Amino acid sequence: MKNRSMTAQSVRAVGRRGPAGIMALVAVASLAAAAPAVAAKQPRQVAEAVAQRVAGEPIMAIVSIKSQQVTFYDADGWILRAPVSTGTTGRETPAGVFAVIEKDREHRSTMYDDAWMPHMQRITWNGIALHGGPLPGYAASHGCVRMPFGFAENLFDKTYIGMRVIISPHDTVPTEFSHPSLFVPKPEAIAAVPGRADKLSIEAEEATRVADEAKKAAATAAKEAASLPAALRKLEQQKARADAELAFADKTLANARNDQARAKAEELKQKAAAKAADAATQLEAARAAAQPKRDAVAATKEAAKAAAARKTEAVKVATDAKLAGEPVSVYISRATQKLYVRRNTHKPAPDGGGEVFDTSIEVPVTIRNPEQPIGTHIFTAMAKTGTGLRWSVVTIENGDEARNALDRIAIPQDVWDRIGPTALPRSSIIISDEPLSSETNYRTEFVAVLSNEPQGGFITRKPTAPAMIASDDGWDNGFGFFYQRDPYVQQVNPRRRSQYQYYQPAQPFQRGFW
């Protein structure tokens, strides 16, 4: 009551001072009301943190848009933490699942007037990245995740291509998790990987050599047979002319009026008959010689086809054997009812920038109650244990509880048998309502964005250009496939559910040895 009395007295006092006093009071009140908003925009103190223990290799980074903070985790917990500045209104950093796909220590933006983005770690090819930059204390970027300059520099050499980056709309942390559906590797299978990969690599190289020789033999036979039609046509024309000359001689002989004319016509007929017989003999001999060449073309073509099939199978098996020594990532989409598998081949992309990811497994998957949301959960193998792997889960969209989400999925056993026994730490299984983003291509790990969160900084950028890569023998006589990304359709409203195209392979992937 005392405060109200004092306020009333102040108002009456200002009133006695007239309009000028009233205006002054309004100004003071306005400043007082604006003070909290101004304070909220003031840059906060940069507070980085380092775990007080020996840090291992980072396995994942989690960016919290809500707290404007990034945290890096190794097998035993968090190791590095720092404030960040994500995308501002209209250019929001997309929430979703990403991975580091390219690193550039001294990057200059091609999108924003050659802007300096030091220690850039790209997570999409259309321009979303983690990099050093100014931190005003609130979301202020064009969609990237700015980190403190020194933090970004110290972090740069610790990360690697393929490291998981999770951008969450809220605060979340990895939680220890176990479930029967998660990979349980077999030590003997893992131990056998190097020897098996070497053996199958040699077999694939031999199959490739045989296929190349068969292909050359088929090409040589085809080249030799290519001249047959023209040669046979020439002999057929010669025989036709000889037959015509013989018919003319017969006609001349029949029309002879005297002995001298008949004798001359008889001589002409004998010559024409000999010429016709010779032409017929040459034609029959050529036809007889042509048939084995035709048979050789057919035989070498079939042999080349069979050798190519054996090469394809040998390459497939050798590639799988070699990839078994890499962490595996699985993505299961409720939207597409499909399961996708990716592993980094560590082969430089043939068109420059980043590395090539193997995308050879894509199969249908059954999800119970597919009309019900399942959420977005990232299960990660953090480390080896005495019985297999220690797993964690990060949930960034809780459509269903993580354990229930796994329970709802019937994972093809043949796929699990193919990749589970050799699963390593850093392997992951992602379950999501979302389809893969159209930014997912042969140079990325999985890219998926939450469609019910703002994505302005993602959709306003120029999309990745469609890519075409030659198959099989297209480059380095190795791993390759034909891939063309579907066209990108921009979203109408960045704050509404996503309306752009999602990842769809243009045609089945073809694989080559790498």
Side-chain angles (χ1 to χ4, degrees):
M1 292 296 293
K2 182 179 179 181
N3 290 340
R4 290 181 181 175
S5 176
M6 291 179 63
T7 302
Q9 292 174 10
S10 300
V11 171
R12 284 195 296 270
V14 170
R16 288 195 296 269
R17 295 190 186 103
I22 294 174
M23 291 300 294
L25 180 61
V26 171
V28 171
S30 298
L31 288 172
V38 172
K41 277 285 188 177
Q42 290 299 313
R44 67 170 177 260
Q45 185 69 31
V46 174
E48 302 173 26
V50 178
Q52 297 303 305
R53 61 179 175 83
V54 177
E57 183 180 58
I59 294 176
M60 72 176 80
I62 301 179
V63 177
S64 170
I65 295 176
K66 177 182 177 181
S67 296
Q68 293 292 284
Q69 178 177 269
V70 62
T71 306
F72 288 80
Y73 295 85
D74 69 1
D76 297 317
W78 76 272
I79 52 175
L80 297 168
R81 183 172 289 141
V84 298
S85 184
T86 60
T88 189
T89 302
R91 292 185 176 273
E92 298 88 353
T93 301
V97 181
F98 308 87
V100 175
I101 55 177
E102 184 186 38
K103 298 174 66 175
D104 187 358
R105 197 176 296 274
E106 291 292 336
H107 184 69
R108 292 281 178 176
S109 173
T110 58
M111 190 176 298
Y112 297 111
D113 300 323
D114 202 38
W116 183 44
M117 298 180 177
H119 304 100
M120 184 274 292
Q121 302 191 54
R122 185 187 300 278
I123 59 174
T124 74
W125 287 109
N126 73 350
I128 303 295
L130 284 66
H131 61 80
L135 271 66
Y138 47 85
S141 79
H142 286 83
C144 286
V145 177
R146 296 183 196 163
M147 301 180 292
F149 287 107
F151 182 87
E153 181 179 4
N154 294 333
L155 173 73
F156 191 79
D157 291 330
K158 295 180 175 65
T159 60
Y160 48 88
I161 301 297
M163 189 196 78
R164 175 74 64 223
V165 177
I166 301 167
I167 300 179
S168 175
H170 50 76
D171 297 337
T172 186
V173 297
T175 304
E176 194 163 321
F177 188 86
S178 62
H179 193 279
S181 294
L182 300 176
F183 301 133
V184 180
K186 298 178 180 178
E188 62 274 16
I190 294 174
V193 166
R196 184 169 183 269
D198 289 343
K199 176 177 178 293
L200 292 174
S201 175
I202 292 171
E203 293 178 3
E205 289 175 357
E206 176 61 18
T208 300
R209 184 190 65 77
V210 171
D212 289 344
E213 290 180 355
K215 186 176 180 180
K216 289 178 182 177
T220 299
K223 185 177 180 181
E224 291 176 354
S227 60
L228 290 177
L232 290 174
R233 280 197 301 272
K234 183 177 180 181
L235 291 174
E236 288 168 353
Q237 290 169 358
Q238 289 177 357
K239 183 179 181 300
R241 287 195 296 270
D243 290 342
E245 290 177 6
L246 179 59
F248 178 76
D250 280 334
K251 186 176 181 180
T252 301
L253 180 61
N255 293 331
R257 299 291 184 179
N258 51 50
D259 293 342
Q260 183 179 3
R262 276 193 294 273
K264 187 175 180 179
E266 186 66 38
E267 182 182 358
L268 180 64
K269 180 180 177 180
Q270 289 177 0
K271 289 181 179 180
K275 188 175 181 180
D278 184 58
T281 300
Q282 290 184 47
L283 179 59
E284 288 304 315
R287 284 174 174 169
Q291 191 57 46
K293 291 183 179 181
R294 289 195 182 100
D295 293 341
V297 170
T300 54
K301 185 177 180 180
E302 285 301 314
K305 185 177 179 180
R310 288 192 295 271
K311 170 189 169 182
T312 298
E313 182 58 27
V315 164
K316 175 179 177 294
V317 174
T319 301
D320 282 346
K322 188 168 184 178
L323 287 172
E326 292 292 327
V328 60
S329 294
V330 175
Y331 189 92
I332 300 171
S333 169
R334 183 177 69 91
T336 63
Q337 302 283 294
K338 285 187 177 182
L339 178 151
Y340 311 84
V341 177
R342 294 205 161 204
R343 281 186 274 203
N344 193 354
T345 69
H346 300 293
K347 296 290 289 185
D351 50 350
E355 298 176 355
V356 172
F357 285 79
D358 177 79
T359 59
S360 54
I361 301 178
E362 178 183 323
V363 296
V365 68
T366 301
I367 300 177
R368 190 174 70 250
N369 300 325
E371 71 284 354
Q372 297 178 8
I374 203 166
T376 296
H377 314 276
I378 303 96
F379 305 90
T380 306
M382 303 299 286
K384 294 180 181 178
T385 66
T387 57
L389 295 170
R390 174 165 54 84
W391 289 81
S392 74
V393 62
V394 175
T395 294
I396 61 173
E397 190 174 40
N398 200 14
D400 200 348
E401 194 269 334
R403 187 171 302 279
N404 294 339
L406 269 176
D407 287 341
R408 287 170 57 186
I409 298 171
I411 297 168
Q413 190 59 46
D414 60 328
V415 174
W416 248 223
D417 292 342
R418 182 173 168 183
I419 61 181
T422 58
L424 300 172
R426 294 195 282 117
S427 294
S428 62
I429 301 170
I430 303 163
I431 298 175
S432 181
D433 293 309
E434 308 293 348
L436 288 174
S437 163
S438 60
E439 276 298 306
T440 303
N441 60 46
Y442 68 98
R443 295 184 300 167
T444 73
E445 227 251 26
F446 295 120
V447 178
V449 296
L450 301 188
S451 57
N452 60 349
E453 294 292 331
Q455 303 164 23
F458 186 74
I459 63 172
T460 57
R461 292 165 182 261
K462 183 179 180 181
T464 300
M468 282 191 179
I469 300 298
S471 173
D472 199 24
D473 296 321
W475 59 279
D476 197 26
N477 191 28
F479 176 92
F481 50 81
F482 175 87
Y483 175 85
Q484 183 172 11
R485 193 173 57 80
D486 279 354
Y488 181 103
V489 181
Q490 288 198 341
Q491 191 176 1
V492 176
N493 185 339
R495 290 187 171 273
R496 296 182 62 190
R497 284 191 66 85
S498 178
Q499 298 173 18
Y500 55 82
Q501 294 286 93
Y502 289 102
Y503 163 84
Q504 291 286 344
Q507 64 182 52
F509 295 122
Q510 301 172 13
R511 295 165 45 157
F513 187 59
W514 56 279

